[in-house]
Amino acid sequence: MSFGSVLRRGVLAGVCAGLAAAVVIWLVVEPVIRRALAVEDARSLHGGQSAPLALHAHGDGEPLVSRAAQVVGGAVTSVLVAVAVGVIFAVVFARLRDRLPERGDFGRSMVLAAVAFSAVSLLPALKIPSNPPAVGDPATVGRRTMLYAVVLLLGVAIALVVPIVDRWVAGRGTTAPTRWALDTVAVVVLVALVLVLVPGSPDTVPADVPAALLWDFRLASLAQLAVMWLTLGLVFGLLMERAAAPRRAAEDVAQGGPSASVSA
């Protein structure tokens, strides 16, 4: 299979993943955001600081961008981001295909999606969790972004280092159960170091933000990312398996295997 063919499948899988994430935004994330905006509105009525003026209000209090337009824009952005992720996913898959565990392309795709979700979504969410609109100081945006990027890069580094260690251990004749145990210990230790050593978010949660709202938003945001990676792995894996099916059938025919009997 050509690299261009793999890349096209990555784009198609990315579109499906983005649409799935957009559905989660609409059904799960958006209701929580509306609850957070209600907290902001109540805060502004009592003389507190309201939402960012560029999006929330202008002059007479009318929104510059309607909430419906923001939801549509978020859905479109979700698809575009997922397509870009799908392209990167396809490139990484093509580069590491023979090094990924599992025998079929579907299993390899799911393994890569699980590793990517853990490294670039789950770990940053644990250390620098996302906050609803009612939480966050605009003055700390730069620091929060930097910390999130650092954790993300460290997660990618862990995902790259552990397989290297695994191959080194395997080359020394270590049995598979021992290797898996060492890999697990390495992941736990490295993740713990990231969680302990990297500073946390500089923002504090205002007293008027309910704890349930905060955690609902964080879980909803993480669910959106999980659905995106799951859909990407599933669709890409299925597309790759479908593309490989004719080749496997031809090999079976050439070898006089089961497919030859069926074809006859």
Side-chain angles (χ1 to χ4, degrees):
M1 186 184 301
S2 67
F3 177 72
S5 180
V6 175
L7 205 60
R8 286 193 296 272
R9 285 165 173 80
V11 171
L12 180 56
V15 171
C16 295
L19 292 174
V23 171
V24 176
I25 291 175
W26 181 45
L27 296 178
V28 181
V29 181
E30 178 59 20
V32 184
I33 291 179
R34 291 185 180 277
R35 287 163 53 194
L37 292 176
V39 173
E40 283 194 330
D41 290 340
R43 185 183 300 164
S44 63
L45 288 176
H46 290 83
Q49 186 176 3
S50 61
L53 297 179
L55 291 177
H56 192 62
H58 174 66
D60 56 359
E62 290 297 323
L64 286 177
V65 180
S66 68
R67 188 63 205 150
Q70 293 178 38
V71 173
V72 172
V76 172
T77 301
S78 175
V79 174
L80 294 177
V81 170
V83 169
V85 172
V87 171
I88 298 173
F89 187 89
V91 172
V92 174
F93 183 90
R95 180 69 178 84
L96 302 178
R97 179 179 180 273
D98 294 334
R99 298 182 182 180
L100 292 170
E102 300 294 334
R103 298 183 61 182
D105 284 337
F106 179 80
R108 295 187 181 103
S109 177
M110 293 303 297
V111 168
L112 182 58
V115 171
F117 167 72
S118 301
V120 306
S121 296
L122 181 57
L123 181 58
L126 292 175
K127 185 60 186 180
I128 312 292
S130 56
N131 288 322
V135 179
D137 183 355
T140 64
V141 170
R143 179 172 172 79
R144 278 183 281 140
T145 303
M146 182 195 68
L147 290 173
Y148 189 92
V150 167
V151 176
L152 188 151
L153 292 175
L154 290 174
V156 173
I158 292 173
L160 294 175
V161 167
V162 172
I164 294 174
V165 174
D166 179 77
R167 288 195 297 272
W168 179 79
V169 173
R172 301 176 69 87
T174 308
T175 61
T178 303
R179 283 170 47 205
W180 297 336
L182 292 174
D183 292 344
T184 302
V185 170
V187 170
V188 171
V189 170
L190 292 174
V191 169
L193 288 174
V194 172
L195 295 177
V196 171
L197 297 180
V198 177
S201 174
D203 288 336
T204 58
V205 180
D208 60 348
V209 177
L213 171 61
L214 184 67
W215 288 106
D216 286 349
F217 181 80
R218 291 175 176 178
L219 291 176
S221 300
L222 191 59
Q224 173 200 340
L225 295 172
V227 167
M228 185 195 75
W229 284 110
L230 177 61
T231 305
L232 181 62
L234 283 171
V235 175
F236 185 81
L238 290 173
L239 291 174
M240 293 297 293
E241 285 287 339
R242 182 179 179 183
R247 184 180 70 251
R248 287 198 299 267
E251 292 174 352
D252 287 340
V253 170
Q255 297 172 4
S259 296
S261 300
V262 173
S263 300

